[in-house]
Amino acid sequence: MRRNETIHAAKELINGDRAKDYGDAYDNHIRIAEGWNVIMREALKTHGYLTPAHVALMMDWLKTSRLLTNIDKFDSWADKIGYAALGAEFVFLDARTPEQVIEDARNGKFTDGNVRPKK
């Protein structure tokens, strides 16, 4: 896709379906920032940095923020479940020793990262 096609597609999304589904973009981003700031403050307090599990919480909050405008959006509910499952997996993965990481890699125990249900 060429740059002008990409720009046109983005314009259609943010001014069309996305605006209709999630409400005013600025208001939605304010809600997202508020939640992410809470998560980030706690992450810095408890860990000193953001972990992948914290990012999963942040992505869950993004979906929550969107659902506040359109609570009937099934996709966002499914995504929240996916981020929760990934977050739990990330906590487990981060607790491993380097030897366990190597062993898990050899045994193919990593997620493919896909949080969306297969169609």
Side-chain angles (χ1 to χ4, degrees), residues 93-106:
L93 292 174
D94 286 345
R96 296 170 307 157
T97 65
E99 293 77 23
Q100 289 170 313
V101 171
I102 293 166
E103 184 65 24
D104 286 349
R106 286 185 181 140

Side-chain angles (χ1 to χ4, degrees), residues 74-91:
F74 174 80
D75 236 22
S76 291
W77 287 108
D79 287 347
K80 284 176 62 62
I81 294 166
Y83 287 123
L86 288 173
E89 180 176 311
F90 297 159
V91 168

Side-chain angles (χ1 to χ4, degrees), residues 48-72:
Y49 56 92
L50 289 170
T51 68
H54 291 116
V55 173
L57 287 172
M58 294 168 95
M59 295 306 294
D60 176 85
W61 179 251
L62 174 115
K63 297 301 180 171
T64 298
S65 296
R66 288 179 168 183
L67 282 165
L68 291 171
T69 301
N70 184 355
I71 203 156
D72 297 332

Side-chain angles (χ1 to χ4, degrees), residues 21-65:
D21 289 343
Y22 307 123
D24 181 75
Y26 187 76
D27 291 341
N28 191 34
H29 281 74
I30 288 172
R31 280 191 305 272
I32 293 166
E34 288 173 351
W36 284 14
N37 278 317
V38 170
I39 295 164
M40 191 167 40
R41 272 193 306 273
E42 290 304 311
L44 294 175
K45 190 186 319 177
T46 60
H47 291 76
Y49 56 92
L50 289 170
T51 68
H54 291 116
V55 173
L57 287 172
M58 294 168 95
M59 295 306 294
D60 176 85
W61 179 251
L62 174 115
K63 297 301 180 171
T64 298
S65 296

